[in-house]
Each structure stands twice: as structure tokens, then as C-alpha cells.
């Protein structure tokens, strides 16, 4: 284990860029079946930062038309946030998820960190006002940014715990360090740090080459297994 932490320190210490760097990325969306892995769609991510470290992070995922009869799916997300006491916090999040022509999720939340409360709005429920005891609050997008920053700041840490807002309120998510893993991205073999949130069925392979954003994302959704593999990464000015 000590050798692993030394390797992580070497990876992180050599990283000079600030984690919150504007970028855009593209991923192949694959589904794991009994017959193997098949590319069924595409996902795109875009991060914008202003001079005060306020961020706007968006993503969109959708299946290719040829697969719509089996995997008719699309997902649009938007996260807006800022830094408070040197920690990232979300102040707005919006999600629309459609599966087989039906809206599966459609909600948004607004966080008012100075007043310690949040408002969650959805088509299914009336607005829900929540008192926030533990700041900062993150969402399923901004948690990527928090992981990247925390990994750089605390490379020997093996567990990262966050308060994440969602459709049913705020819940704790705990990401655990699994180990180091080499993955192939566009024919290039790269070192990654692998972390997992077991309860959510999510695994990230975080890569220094890409500002410690995920090079690979594995997600289990009910009985389905999906994988996002990075195909394009561009830093933005």
C-alpha cells in the first residue's frame, strides 16, 4: 500500500495545472451485454470558468439512432457553482433524462449557501425546501470537479465524502480509492487513479493527462451496465 501512495504522490505532485481548467470532452457510450460491449451513443462535457472561479458545467448524452429500438436514451445536465471557503459548492443544478420516449427524471435545485437551504423542483412533486446542515453541497456533475481538486490537495487520502443533492434531497456519497489502473485512450496507455462509489454503482478512472477528469466512467443502472470512454479532450482558453 505504501508503494501505491508513493506512486500517487508522484502522479499528483508532477501536476502543475489548477484542477479547475476550462475544457470540453467527448466520450463513447457503451453498453455491456452478454455478447460483449457495444458502442450505443455519445456523451459530451463542457466546463467554463470565470475569473472568480465560478463554474458552469454541462453534459449531454444520447444514443445513436441505430440503437434507439433497444437503448432509446438521452440525458442533459447543467451545474453552476462557486468556491466558498476554498471549497466547491453547487448553487444550481438541472437534469432532464428521457428513456424510451418517456421522461424518467426532470428536476432542478437551487442552493442558497449563505442561508443554509435549498429548493428542489420537479414535475412530480411540489417545490421542496430543505435545510442544509452540511456545506458544501454538490451534484452529480460538480462532484467530478470536487474529486479532482481533493485528489490534488490530499493525494494520500483513501476516502472522499460529499453531500450530494438530488431528486429526493441531499445524501452522502462516499468515494473510495481502489487502486491504480492503466487504461487505453485513443491507442495511448495512460495511468489512472481508480475510485468507486459502491452504493451508486459508479467507478471513475481519473487521469492526470486530462486534469484528473474521468478517462473512463463505469455505471450500473438497475440491471444495465454502461461505460463512458474518453475519445476527445480539449482545454479551452
Amino acid at each position: 500500500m505504501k508503494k501505491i501512495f508513493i506512486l500517487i504522490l508522484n502522479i499528483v505532485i508532477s501536476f502543475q495545472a489548477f484542477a479547475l481548467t476550462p475544457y470540453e470532452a467527448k466520450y463513447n457510450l457503451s453498453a455491456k451485454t452478454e455478447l460483449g460491449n457495444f458502442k450505443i451513443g455519445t456523451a459530451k462535457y463542457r466546463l467554463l470558468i470565470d475569473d472568480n472561479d465560478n463554474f458552469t458545467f454541462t453534459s449531454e448524452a444520447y444514443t445513436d439512432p441505430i440503437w434507439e429500438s433497444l437503448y432509446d436514451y438521452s440525458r442533459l445536465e447543467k451545474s453552476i457553482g462557486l468556491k466558498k471557503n476554498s471549497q466547491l459548492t453547487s448553487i444550481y443544478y438541472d437534469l432532464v433524462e428521457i428513456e424510451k420516449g418517456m421522461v424518467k427524471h426532470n428536476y432542478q435545485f437551487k442552493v442558497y449557501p449563505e442561508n443554509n437551504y435549498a429548493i428542489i423542483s420537479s414535475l412530480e412533486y411540489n417545490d421542496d425546501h430543505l435545510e442544509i446542515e452540511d456545506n458544501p453541497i454538490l451534484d452529480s456533475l460538480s462532484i467530478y470537479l470536487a474529486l479532482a481538486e481533493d485528489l490534488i490537495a490530499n493525494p494520500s487520502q483513501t476516502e472522499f465524502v460529499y453531500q450530494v443533492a438530488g431528486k429526493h434531497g441531499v445524501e452522502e456519497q462516499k468515494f473510495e480509492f481502489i487502486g491504480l489502473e492503466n487504461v487505453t485512450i485513443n491507442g495511448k496507455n495512460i495511468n489512472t487513479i481508480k475510485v468507486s462509489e459502491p452504493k451508486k454503482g459508479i467507478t471513475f478512472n481519473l487521469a492526470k493527462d486530462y486534469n484528473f477528469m474521468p478517462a473512463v466512467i463505469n455505471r450500473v443502472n438497475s440491471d444495465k451496465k454502461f461505460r463512458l470512454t474518453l475519445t476527445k479532450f480539449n482545454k479551452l482558453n
Side-chain angles (χ1 to χ4, degrees):
M1 182 64 72
K2 185 177 180 180
K3 290 182 178 179
I4 292 177
F5 287 135
I6 291 174
L7 288 171
I8 295 174
L9 283 169
N10 288 336
I11 292 172
V12 174
I13 289 172
S14 63
F15 184 70
Q16 300 298 322
F18 185 56
L20 281 183
T21 302
Y23 80 94
E24 57 184 7
K26 187 175 181 180
Y27 293 77
N28 281 343
L29 171 62
S30 302
K32 186 176 181 180
T33 71
E34 295 179 354
L35 300 176
N37 294 328
F38 295 92
K39 179 185 177 300
I40 61 170
T42 302
K44 297 178 181 179
Y45 290 76
R46 183 178 177 89
L47 173 65
L48 300 177
I49 311 290
D50 69 15
D51 293 337
N52 296 315
D53 289 337
N54 299 320
F55 66 85
T56 300
F57 199 13
T58 58
S59 77
E60 57 179 284
Y62 45 85
T63 49
D64 297 332
I66 193 173
W67 289 100
E68 286 184 352
S69 60
L70 293 175
Y71 299 100
D72 184 9
Y73 177 82
S74 66
R75 179 185 177 99
L76 301 174
E77 291 178 281
K78 183 175 185 178
S79 173
I80 299 175
L82 48 80
K83 269 198 170 185
K84 180 184 178 184
N85 299 325
S86 300
Q87 291 184 301
L88 295 176
T89 184
S90 297
I91 58 173
Y92 176 84
Y93 176 76
D94 188 15
L95 169 67
V96 178
E97 192 172 31
I98 299 174
E99 188 171 341
K100 296 181 179 179
M102 303 291 291
V103 176
K104 185 177 181 181
H105 296 296
N106 187 346
Y107 70 89
Q108 64 177 226
F109 69 78
K110 296 179 181 179
V111 179
Y112 301 87
E114 67 280 2
N115 297 319
N116 294 323
Y117 80 93
I119 300 176
I120 299 177
S121 305
S122 75
L123 293 179
E124 301 145 83
Y125 307 102
N126 294 325
D127 289 359
D128 191 7
H129 291 66
L130 301 174
E131 184 175 345
I132 300 172
E133 297 179 357
D134 297 310
N135 273 321
I137 298 297
L138 299 173
D139 54 65
S140 61
L141 265 183
S142 59
I143 202 167
Y144 295 7
L145 308 179
L147 271 170
E149 288 220 319
D150 288 346
L151 184 61
I152 293 171
N154 305 288
S156 62
Q157 194 167 320
T158 60
E159 193 174 86
F160 301 91
V161 180
Y162 303 104
Q163 300 297 318
V164 181
K167 181 178 179 180
H168 300 295
V170 178
E171 64 178 7
E172 182 179 279
Q173 289 189 18
K174 184 183 297 183
F175 284 83
E176 303 170 356
F177 169 75
I178 297 177
L180 302 178
E181 184 176 45
N182 289 332
V183 299
T184 301
I185 302 296
N186 294 328
K188 179 183 177 182
N189 194 38
I190 63 172
N191 295 320
T192 68
I193 298 171
K194 193 172 184 179
V195 296
S196 173
E197 213 297 354
K199 291 184 179 180
K200 291 295 182 181
I202 304 171
T203 302
F204 296 147
N205 286 78
L206 308 176
K208 181 195 75 172
D209 303 55
Y210 308 113
N211 292 359
F212 289 101
M213 292 294 104
V216 176
I217 302 170
N218 285 291
R219 186 185 297 268
V220 178
N221 188 358
S222 299
D223 59 339
K224 300 174 183 177
K225 296 181 179 180
F226 298 99
R227 181 182 179 94
L228 289 173
T229 304
L230 186 68
T231 59
K232 183 179 179 181
F233 184 93
N234 292 324
K235 293 181 181 179
L236 302 173
N237 295 326

